[in-house]
Amino acid sequence: VQLQASGGGLVQAGDSLRLSCAVSGSTFNHYHMGWIRQAPGKEREFVAGIRWYDGNTNYADSVKGRFTISRDSTKNTVYLQMNNLTPDDTAVYYCAARFRSSMRASMSRDVYDYNKWGQGTLVTVSS
C-alpha cells in the first residue's frame, strides 16, 4: 500500500484544517490507517486511527473532541479534520497504515504498530 498525505499549511490558533491521505496499491479492508505526528525535537505521537473495514476510530486524548478521522472508500482517501488548532498541534503529520489479518482486529495507539508510512505534511499553528 502507498500513502500520499497533503493539506498541511500555516494557520492561526483556533482555525481548522483538513488533511488528506490518498491510499493506493491494494484492497484495504485488512488495514488500519492512522495519522501520526512529530513535533520538532519530539518523538512521533499517535493522533488518530481508523479501521478501514467498518470505520471504527480511536484517538489520542490530546485531540479527542477536536480532531476527526474518516475515510472515503469511493475515493480511497483518509481524512483528518482538525478543529480548534493550538500551537501544540504544530508538527509534521504522517499518514500510516498497518495490515491486520483479521478485518475486525483491535486497534492500537502505538506508533510502532504502523509499518507503512507516507511522506509527511507540515502543519504550523501560530499563536
Side-chain angles (χ1 to χ4, degrees):
V1 63
Q2 289 79 48
L3 307 161
Q4 180 80 25
S6 61
L10 173 62
V11 297
Q12 293 186 331
D15 284 352
S16 298
L17 199 62
R18 189 178 78 161
L19 305 182
S20 299
C21 176
V23 188
S24 62
S26 178
T27 57
F28 310 121
N29 278 335
H30 286 266
Y31 279 90
H32 296 176
M33 304 297 182
W35 287 97
I36 290 158
R37 68 187 180 186
Q38 187 167 23
K42 294 188 177 180
E43 297 289 322
R44 289 189 176 184
E45 174 191 21
F46 172 82
V47 175
I50 188 165
R51 192 163 60 190
W52 193 277
Y53 165 69
D54 59 3
N56 191 46
T57 60
N58 63 342
Y59 294 91
D61 290 341
S62 59
V63 307
K64 205 172 289 184
R66 299 189 299 123
F67 291 11
T68 302
I69 187 171
S70 62
R71 55 102 172 83
D72 185 332
S73 299
T74 64
K75 297 181 179 180
N76 289 345
T77 302
V78 178
Y79 300 100
L80 184 68
Q81 177 66 44
M82 304 184 293
N83 297 329
N84 194 22
L85 285 160
T86 75
D88 287 342
D89 296 314
T90 295
V92 176
Y93 284 72
Y94 296 92
C95 181
R98 175 192 185 197
F99 177 83
R100 305 291 280 155
S101 57
S102 169
M103 291 189 294
R104 296 180 177 84
S106 60
M107 300 179 69
S108 169
R109 298 183 186 184
D110 188 339
V111 300
Y112 296 104
D113 285 337
Y114 289 85
N115 56 7
K116 295 187 181 294
W117 295 76
Q119 92 295 352
T121 186
L122 177 62
V123 174
T124 303
V125 185
S126 62
S127 58

